[in-house]
Amino acid sequence: LAKTTQPISMDSYEGQEVNITCSHNNIATNDYITWYQQFPSQGPRFIIQGYKTKVTNEVASLFIPADRKSSTLSLPRVSLSDTAVYYCLVGDRSARSGGYNKLIFGAGTRLAVHP
Amino acid sequence: KAGVTQTPRYLIKTRGQQVTLSCSPISGHRSVSWYQQTPGQGLQFLFEYFSETQRNKGNFPGRFSGRQFSNSRSEMNVSTLELGDSALYLCASSLEPSSGNQPQHFGDGTRLSIL
């Protein structure tokens, strides 16, 4: 199973860059790395997804080293509204299920942004 | 484009009752997955449906069941409710079966409280 490990919590201040690192030592060759954001009483929201090197979109960047055993979500200039739980996921590809996966969520990282 | 819609948003039941939750995926999405979220266990995968067939199942008792209709809408049912079933039930949809490479889009969930 491609289990992920993230810090339980992080604190930051408005305007700072936040980097959240996720470890996934057993990532499979074809697996992608996906990050979600969740606010209280809402469903997780897709942030970014990548396979290797670097991916950037309008809200975040994702850095993946060559060995792909970890990844770092980078949030530039965070604001109070970025206070949320961030989940790192790696697809679990099971041969028994015919290649279909079930997403395994870890505990996530609780990010608190302070004024 | 409308997002994933879950109904009802809130539900209160008593022990021993049964409940049916509904999920309408994003238009064009054919895969629907269900998750249970509790403070103690976090986000846990329940099952996934694609083309009206259950493709994957998590480690939940048989009291938890689901189905998918030809229009991709899905329902999940929990029978003989227990206090521990109190949770936020989330539905997610994607174009194809969740492969870890297909971002899933979540609804805001149904908050089920068991008295």
Side-chain angles (χ1 to χ4, degrees):
Chain A
L1 296 178
K3 184 180 176 182
T4 60
T5 304
Q6 308 172 229
I8 293 177
S9 64
M10 293 182 70
D11 289 275
S12 185
Y13 293 90
E14 284 188 292
Q16 289 189 332
E17 177 185 73
V18 171
N19 295 308
I20 306 174
T21 297
C22 176
S23 298
H24 28 79
N25 291 320
N26 297 325
I27 188 169
T29 302
N30 295 330
D31 284 344
Y32 279 65
I33 300 149
T34 310
W35 285 79
Y36 288 84
Q37 174 194 57
Q38 186 178 27
F39 298 111
S41 298
Q42 293 185 22
R45 307 291 181 206
F46 170 80
I47 301 175
I48 197 166
Q49 182 181 73
Y51 183 79
K52 62 180 180 180
T53 61
K54 177 184 175 181
V55 179
T56 298
N57 62 22
E58 62 276 9
V59 298
S61 295
L62 179 59
F63 299 92
I64 305 169
D67 66 5
R68 304 201 328 122
K69 293 184 183 300
S70 67
S71 59
T72 299
L73 173 72
S74 181
L75 304 173
R77 296 180 299 282
V78 295
S79 64
L80 296 177
S81 63
D82 292 316
T83 294
V85 178
Y86 292 82
Y87 295 97
C88 161
L89 280 84
V90 174
D92 172 21
R93 186 174 295 276
S94 168
R96 283 189 305 167
S97 65
Y100 299 124
N101 302 321
K102 56 184 179 183
L103 294 182
I104 300 175
F105 282 81
T109 296
R110 192 172 297 274
L111 173 66
V113 179
H114 306 281
Chain B
K1 198 179 211 181
V4 176
T5 304
Q6 292 188 246
T7 57
R9 285 298 313 275
Y10 302 92
L11 202 51
I12 299 175
K13 292 286 187 179
T14 57
R15 283 180 297 175
Q17 288 187 311
Q18 74 166 16
V19 67
T20 299
L21 311 181
S22 180
C23 173
S24 293
I26 290 174
S27 177
H29 284 194
R30 298 164 63 197
S31 173
V32 173
S33 298
W34 288 89
Y35 295 81
Q36 180 196 64
Q37 186 172 31
T38 60
Q41 299 297 320
L43 266 160
Q44 293 186 287
F45 173 81
L46 279 158
F47 28 66
E48 176 183 29
Y49 286 87
F50 178 74
S51 292
E52 302 177 63
T53 302
Q54 188 179 91
R55 295 289 183 159
N56 224 329
K57 190 176 189 305
N59 297 322
F60 279 81
R63 300 185 298 106
F64 292 81
S65 63
R67 60 177 174 168
Q68 186 181 35
F69 302 95
S70 59
N71 62 359
S72 295
R73 191 177 70 85
S74 177
E75 290 181 347
M76 68 163 282
N77 184 277
V78 187
S79 61
T80 319
L81 286 165
E82 300 176 359
L83 292 178
D85 297 333
S86 294
L88 180 67
Y89 290 89
L90 293 160
C91 167
S93 76
S94 59
L95 285 169
E96 300 293 334
S98 62
S99 63
N101 306 339
Q102 282 274 344
Q104 292 196 318
H105 300 267
F106 285 80
D108 284 335
T110 293
R111 171 75 63 185
L112 175 63
S113 299
I114 311 302
L115 304 179

